Amino acid sequence: MSGRGRFITLEGGEGAGKSVQARRLERRLSAAGLEVVRTREPGGSPHAEALRAVILSGFAKAFGPEGEALLFAAARIDHLDQTILPALRRGAWVVSDRFADSTRAYQGAAGDLPAEWIARLEAVAVGPNRPDLTLILDLPAEAGLARAGFRRGAGQADRFEAEGTGFHETLRRAYLEIAADEPGRCVVIDALASEDAVEAAVWRAVEARLDPQGAARAAR
């Protein structure tokens, strides 16, 4: 892994603060002397961004969770090919707001798709390109939805924000189960804390697991 960058993902329900913490983590890593590519899902490459618009508009909901999962997988393949893998190969660190765990939680647990079906789809779309570290920002569903509503203001809720509290509680449980199943990859962060406290917890996890300072020194 010495010549390869590191791949960090942030996961969690609506309103957990993933985008804010992705930006803050990008600044911290850049300040350490690392090249950083911050990206997101769905999206992160031109074709994937086009699919993002289709998915979040609610147009794809009519295809059911299977159809949505396939669209997410198609976007993820392009995202990996066009953005993530080229960055990692040149030694950059990639910080992604969501990745494959979102499909496990949203279409798998909340959409009632079998875990085996999701695993097969992930094997095709992701293959060996798993994150080195996944930070799961955890908070109660009601708190997350309230934050998302405040952030949205008078705007319309997107496809997933519009789902009920039960859907979002299922997402929370799914993420915590993912973290429990893969403790070597995942760290749960209390997202109810202040943005500064969450940033500090994120940085502690990144320092402990991936040693960004050491990586920056080795790259010089």
Side-chain angles (χ1 to χ4, degrees):
M1 298 239 323
S2 59
R4 173 187 176 276
R6 304 292 185 267
F7 183 18
I8 302 171
T9 56
L10 290 92
E11 295 280 2
E14 307 299 326
K18 297 176 297 299
S19 299
V20 169
Q21 295 303 325
R23 288 193 296 271
R24 290 184 173 215
L25 180 56
E26 177 188 23
R27 287 199 295 268
R28 286 253 196 168
L29 292 169
S30 296
L34 295 163
E35 180 191 352
V36 185
V37 173
R38 177 168 56 86
T39 186
R40 68 177 183 176
E41 288 208 352
S45 62
H47 291 147
E49 288 289 335
L51 286 172
R52 176 187 179 90
V54 171
I55 294 166
L56 296 188
S57 72
F59 177 81
K61 185 176 181 180
F63 299 132
E66 294 93 342
E68 283 188 326
L70 290 170
L71 287 174
F72 275 111
R76 187 162 296 130
I77 289 168
D78 192 67
H79 187 204
L80 277 163
D81 287 347
Q82 300 301 316
T83 303
I84 296 173
L85 294 179
L88 292 175
R89 283 194 289 265
R90 68 174 182 266
W93 287 45
V94 175
V95 176
S96 183
D97 177 350
R98 296 196 182 280
F99 191 62
D101 291 314
S102 285
T103 300
R104 294 184 185 184
Y106 280 74
Q107 285 72 49
D112 291 326
L113 291 180
E116 296 80 6
W117 193 94
I118 293 290
R120 289 197 297 271
L121 183 62
E122 187 173 316
V124 171
V126 177
N129 303 304
R130 307 288 303 285
D132 299 299
L133 174 63
T134 296
L135 303 158
I136 295 177
L137 305 187
D138 174 60
L139 79 171
E142 288 187 357
L145 290 173
R147 285 184 183 178
F150 178 79
R151 176 191 65 205
R152 185 171 65 248
Q156 185 176 1
D158 71 24
R159 155 73 181 93
F160 299 106
E161 291 173 349
E163 294 285 352
T165 304
F167 177 93
H168 293 280
E169 287 290 2
T170 299
L171 292 178
R172 185 189 188 192
R173 290 193 297 272
Y175 278 120
L176 292 176
E177 288 173 5
I178 290 169
D181 289 343
E182 298 188 53
R185 174 174 67 90
C186 300
V187 176
V188 177
I189 306 289
D190 178 11
L192 273 178
S194 70
E195 288 183 358
D196 288 347
V198 174
E199 178 185 354
V202 164
W203 187 245
R204 285 194 298 272
V206 172
E207 282 191 309
R209 300 292 185 99
L210 300 180
D211 185 21
Q213 303 284 354
R217 287 193 298 272
R220 294 190 186 110

